[in-house]
Amino acid sequence: MLGIKRLGLLAALVLVGVAPAAAAQAKAQPSEQDTQYLQAIHQVNLFEITTGELAQQKGQNQRVKDLGKMFVTDHTQLDQTVQQTASQLNVQLPKGPTADQQAVIDRLNNASGKNFDKEWVTAQLAGHLQAIQATQTEISQGSEQSVIQLAQTALPALQTHYDELVQLAQQLGIPVPQASASGTPSPSGTETESPAPGGTETESPA
């Protein structure tokens, strides 16, 4: 009888040890908001890396080339954190662009000279504006702390990029999406009809 009781106690202890682990796994599931943000910001990074490389290769304006280089560096670093966070939370990240994102890349591949510069700055303004709005939404509505912290880290860089783009657009006479007086998009701003931010893993021209 004593042996049976001891076996029962051991079984109970094993179950007690397993239950918290199972609960922790269930708790690790990110919300839909967190998941969608990780996927969206990853696509933004892929898009910025690809189009930043195009800017360095095809840009006629030196500032376009310089910003392209900055975007590649910053978004490559940011995406390392995105991929690590997504891996920890078991979030599958997209491997390619949406139709809108691919359309932007195709337009840039086919453009040249001053036309390329204009197309590139226009696309970057729209993409960064929407990326900032998505990041602000994650900060205010996200539930997974690691994703919220990622968004808080990403926001200043995105805003710096946007401010640089606004200055360049003004120099080139390119219309700027509606933003606050400081040049930073308003958190309550409505999204434009421009292609959504995102990225692609397609290779840029040699």
Side-chain angles (χ1 to χ4, degrees), residues 98-117:
T98 65
D100 283 342
Q101 294 155 7
Q102 187 59 56
V104 173
I105 293 167
D106 290 344
R107 281 205 309 271
L108 292 174
N109 274 318
N110 292 327
S112 60
K114 290 183 178 180
N115 187 46
F116 173 86
D117 291 348

Side-chain angles (χ1 to χ4, degrees), residues 44-45 47-57 61-79 120 124 128 154-168:
V44 167
N45 293 331
F47 177 80
E48 294 303 332
I49 293 166
T50 299
T51 56
E53 290 171 346
L54 283 176
Q56 293 176 75
Q57 296 163 9
N61 185 290
Q62 185 59 44
R63 191 66 184 135
V64 169
K65 292 178 176 289
D66 292 342
L67 286 181
K69 183 177 181 179
M70 177 197 295
F71 293 177
V72 169
T73 299
D74 291 351
H75 285 277
T76 297
Q77 293 176 348
L78 175 59
D79 203 55
W120 187 82
Q124 293 297 326
H128 275 83
L155 186 57
L158 292 171
Q159 289 179 327
T160 296
H161 291 181
Y162 185 80
D163 290 342
E164 294 283 352
L165 286 164
V166 168
Q167 292 179 18
L168 179 57

